[in-house]
């Protein structure tokens, strides 16, 4: 009998633990962070925290797509942790950044260095390693406070834009763990995509006119986000920017390339735009006459999108060799340009060339690893491109 | 007559227990080794572990009923109690270490502001209940969750394949032989389940050697996969993480299935429970052989008090956590308990058997597993 009583009491005691081990916080009392902007000014970190704040249209819908559905709070502190801790005081809700989508670094904090950023987001249990990272020339605060006209949530919109840019060869996604991995690496440098704000009327004047009658967002200061190249870091600090026109080559070399439309123009074959896809790249380090170089072979297939041939030219049917050669020249120039900018001008390796050398020539690496900068600056490169147009579209080349 | 669990059940208990440690902590903890050194070391360690259990298998071939403790009593008479308590204390320490690891993970990765005292109390209570239920109950739970774990692990593995970068697996440049040697010893020390196996040996039916080999090979394969993923996906970043596999699960995704860290948490807490329960049971079995007249309830009460006080004290001090983990994972301890001590007992046993006038005395000392 006593045993039964003890068993029941024990069970009840254990049941009491099922209520959880933290005090309850209602969802309405949580400020769900969507994006965090980090700037650095006057020896202080300034955080701009974009919080999900649904704004209904007054009817049954909780979210009105014509509104921002977010608000931004700004805090500052000597460290990111201190700044974050003050965020609760600014708006009364408990900050929750477990579902944070983006970390946007302003130019000032990028130049200050990634150390504090990586330390905070690496240590804190709420933050996850797959959050996207971006850099902006200027202040991150401006991006997060801008009235972005695309989509429901600004942070979600930015995320989608970056994803679409990756699919079309305009940029690539970088996660926090990618940045942390390259930051901790003794050989690779960090590279993070850059975004910028543009006025909405610059991109779609007609659209703005249609929307202005009904939309609260586009009231003369509505903005759109676009990609603006890549930022590269050296020793965790912002070194330089690489222009948007070079991002395709970077994407190919980083083996993140999916597809992109390449335009070739010449007097002999006219103008053609071909979508290249299924890119395969081989990068082989090689020592020749004591000098280290990398052989880069890119093979890609192409789909014809558009061809305009000059009037006076005979056009062989299903003969695209000249266009392929032209495209190969275009892509080779882009890759050569990017390699020169990164390796020669800025002495940084964002393409894991050093890791390849380490694997293939371990004794060479062991002898020279104390002067990686020298290896990078003296690294030769031979680029060979092979474009194969195997899909012509529904129209053959014609006058 | 005292064999109660099948080889497959023992296998899952040991496998889950072994994998738990690798899922929790950084493989570089305590030793700054290259990923490739750890991979090679754990592979070679497999063969070392096969070699060091030869004496114990030879001993068990001669003892038809019993384990290392009963053999110790057979060899040394009443002094065999020392051997029983050595293994009991070791099992209790491993149990404490497991609970401390579980709470450390929860405090740092899940509930950072929680009061873990209640969690600790409930967890220890559950572990005690599981141990009191006996080895059959523990093995059945482990068999069920073993299947869940393998499926979940394969799912996580599949989600990480696209993130693997083989260039992160670089050659070992600095002292490769030394690094591999340290890795071999490190792997040996982390395999506390070798001790569990030799104590659970008589509870198992079927071909125990086959069970042991299956456990050793599959656990080594799993550890290799974990190390491979951590090294190739996270590279040097893993060195700054306390729970690298947990970070891996935040990155892993397959189609719409994301946030596998929650899957990791759910399974992990069950694995911690199974491991802790197994070792508490082993501690109880060792103590009960040495004190056959003491009631089961009293033994478990003492174990409960000892573990509760120790866990509360240790988990509040990072130094204590580090020292305990260093001690438990020390290759020397496993070497002593799995190889040296059994080897000595085996030699003494052979010597006594060959020189004994009354050979019946070798077997009928009154100390046997039947007391449990």
């Amino acid at each position: 009998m006593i045993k039964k009583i003890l068993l029941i009491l024990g069970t009840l005691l254990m049941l009491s633990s099922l209520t959880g081990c933290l005090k309850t916080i209602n969802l309405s009392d949580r400020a769900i962070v969507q994006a965090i902007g980090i700037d650095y000014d006057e020896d202080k970190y300034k955080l701009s925290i974009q919080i999900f704040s649904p704004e209904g249209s007054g009817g049954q819908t909780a979210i009105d797509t014509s509104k921002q559905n977010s608000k931004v709070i700004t805090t500052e502190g000597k460290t990111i942790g201190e700044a974050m801790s003050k965020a609760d005081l600014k708006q009364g809700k408990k900050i929750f950044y477990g579902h944070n989508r983006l970390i946007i670094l302003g130019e000032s904090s990028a130049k200050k260095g990634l150390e504090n950023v990586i330390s905070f987001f690496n240590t804190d249990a709420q933050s996850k390693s797959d959050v996207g990272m971006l850099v902006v020339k200027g202040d991150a605060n401006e991006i997060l406070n801008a009235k972005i006209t695309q989509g429901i949530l600004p942070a979600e919109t930015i995320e989608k834009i970056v994803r679409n840019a990756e699919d079309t060869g305009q940029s690539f996604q970088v996660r926090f763990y990618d940045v942390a991995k390259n930051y901790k690496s003794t050989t690779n440098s960090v590279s993070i995509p850059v975004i910028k704000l543009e006025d909405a009327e610059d991109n779609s004047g007609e659209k703005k006119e249609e929307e202005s009658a009904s939309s609260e967002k586009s009231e003369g200061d509505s903005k759109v986000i676009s990609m603006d190249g890549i930022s590269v870091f050296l020793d965790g600090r912002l070194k330089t920017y690489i222009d948007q026109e070079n991002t395709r080559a970077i994407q190919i070399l980083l083996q993140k390339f999916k597809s992109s439309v390449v335009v070739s123009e010449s007097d002999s074959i006219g103008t053609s735009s071909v979508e290249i896809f299924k890119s395969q790249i081989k990068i082989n380090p090689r020592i020749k006459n004591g000098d280290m170089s990398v052989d880069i072979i890119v093979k890609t297939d192409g789909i014809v999108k558009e061809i305009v041939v000059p009037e006076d030219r005979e056009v062989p049917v299903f003969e695209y060799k000249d266009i392929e050669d032209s495209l190969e020249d275009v892509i080779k120039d882009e890759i050569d340009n990017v390699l020169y900018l990164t390796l020669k001008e800025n002495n940084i390796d964002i393409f894991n060339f050093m890791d390849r050398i380490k694997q293939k020539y371990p004794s060479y690496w062991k002898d020279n690893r104390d002067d990686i900068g020298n290896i990078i600056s003296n690294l030769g490169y031979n680029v060979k491109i092979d474009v194969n147009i195997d899909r012509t579209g529904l129209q053959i080349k014609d006058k | 007559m005292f064999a109660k669990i099948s080889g497959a059940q023992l296998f899952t208990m040991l496998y889950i227990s072994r994998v738990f440690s690798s899922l929790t902590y950084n493989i570089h903890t305590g030793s700054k080794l290259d990923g490739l050194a750890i991979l090679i070391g754990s592979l070679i360690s497999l063969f070392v572990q096969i070699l060091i259990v030869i004496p114990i298998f030879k001993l068990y071939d001669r003892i038809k009923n019993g384990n290392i403790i009963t053999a110790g009593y057979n060899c040394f008479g009443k002094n065999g109690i020392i051997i029983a308590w050595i293994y009991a204390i070791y099992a209790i320490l491993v149990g404490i270490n497991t609970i401390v690891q579980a709470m450390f993970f929860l405090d740092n990765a899940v509930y950072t502001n929680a009061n873990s005292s209640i969690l600790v109390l409930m967890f220890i209570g559950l572990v005690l209940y599981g141990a009191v239920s006996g080895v059959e109950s523990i093995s059945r739970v482990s068999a069920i969750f073993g299947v869940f774990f393998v499926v979940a692990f394969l799912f996580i593995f599949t989600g990480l394949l696209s993130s693997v970068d083989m260039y992160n697996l670089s050659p070992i440049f600095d002292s490769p032989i030394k690094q591999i040697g340290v890795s071999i010893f490190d792997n040996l020390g982390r395999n506390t389940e070798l001790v569990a196996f030799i104590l659970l040996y008589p509870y198992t039916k079927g071909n125990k050697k086959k069970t042991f080999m299956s456990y050793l090979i599959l656990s080594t394969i799993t550890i290799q996969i974990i190390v491979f993923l951590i090294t190739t996906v996270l590279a040097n970043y893993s060195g700054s993480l306390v729970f690298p596999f947990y970070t891996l699960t935040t990155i892993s995704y397959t189609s719409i299935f994301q946030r596998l860290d929650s899957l990791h948490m759910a399974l992990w807490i069950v694995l911690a429970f199974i491991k802790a329960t197994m070792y508490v049971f082993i501690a109880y079995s060792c103590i009960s052989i040495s004190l056959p007249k003491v009631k089961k309830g009293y033994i478990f009460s003492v174990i409960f008090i000892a573990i509760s006080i120790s866990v509360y004290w240790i988990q509040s001090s990072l130094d204590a956590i580090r020292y305990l983990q260093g001690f438990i994972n020390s290759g020397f301890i496993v070497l002593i308990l799995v190889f040296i001590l059994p080897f000595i007992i085996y030699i003494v046993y052979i010597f006594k058997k060959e020189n004994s006038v009354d050979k019946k005395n070798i077997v009928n000392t009154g100390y046997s597993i039947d007391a449990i």
Side-chain angles (χ1 to χ4, degrees), chain A residues 231-352:
Chain A
S231 60
V232 288
F233 291 68
L234 183 64
D235 297 330
R237 284 181 168 70
L238 176 67
K239 181 85 167 41
T240 189
Y241 295 104
I242 296 177
D243 293 338
Q244 180 62 24
E245 62 199 26
N246 292 309
T247 38
R248 176 165 54 212
I250 294 176
Q251 215 188 25
I252 291 172
L253 289 168
L254 285 175
Q255 297 178 294
K256 293 185 179 185
F257 182 78
K258 291 181 185 174
S259 71
S260 178
V261 173
V262 182
V263 175
S264 72
E265 288 174 294
S266 77
D267 293 333
S268 57
I269 60 169
T271 306
S272 58
S273 56
V274 174
E275 182 183 350
I276 54 171
F277 69 109
K278 275 205 298 184
S279 165
Q280 290 174 341
I281 182 169
K282 283 183 189 170
I283 300 174
N284 288 318
R286 185 167 55 100
I287 295 180
K288 193 176 177 183
N289 299 328
D291 295 326
M292 180 63 72
S293 65
V294 284
D295 292 332
I296 299 168
I297 302 169
V298 180
K299 287 185 182 175
T300 180
D301 290 345
I303 308 169
V304 174
K305 288 289 180 185
E306 189 180 331
I307 296 180
V308 178
V309 181
E311 285 284 335
D312 57 347
R313 186 154 186 243
E314 284 295 323
V315 182
V317 178
F318 293 123
E319 177 57 63
Y320 292 96
K321 187 73 176 67
D322 47 1
I323 299 176
E324 288 171 351
D325 290 341
S326 177
L327 290 171
E328 284 165 5
D329 290 338
V330 169
I331 297 170
K332 185 178 185 310
D333 286 343
E334 287 177 2
I335 291 178
D336 280 339
N337 193 35
V338 157
L339 288 172
Y340 180 81
L341 275 171
T342 52
L343 299 175
K344 307 298 178 188
E345 259 194 29
N346 292 288
N347 209 27
I348 47 178
D349 172 23
I350 59 172
F351 307 117
N352 295 353

Side-chain angles (χ1 to χ4, degrees), chain A residues 79-92:
Chain A
T79 63
I80 296 172
E82 187 187 12
M84 194 64 83
S85 67
K86 293 177 184 175
D88 293 346
L89 303 173
K90 289 271 182 168
Q91 36 76 51

Side-chain angles (χ1 to χ4, degrees), chain B residues 92-113:
Chain B
I92 289 173
L93 285 174
V94 175
I96 292 169
N97 187 49
T98 304
I99 297 169
V100 166
Q101 281 185 13
M103 293 304 117
F104 188 75
F105 177 78
L106 287 176
D107 288 344
N108 284 283
V110 185
Y111 302 122
T112 48
N113 295 328

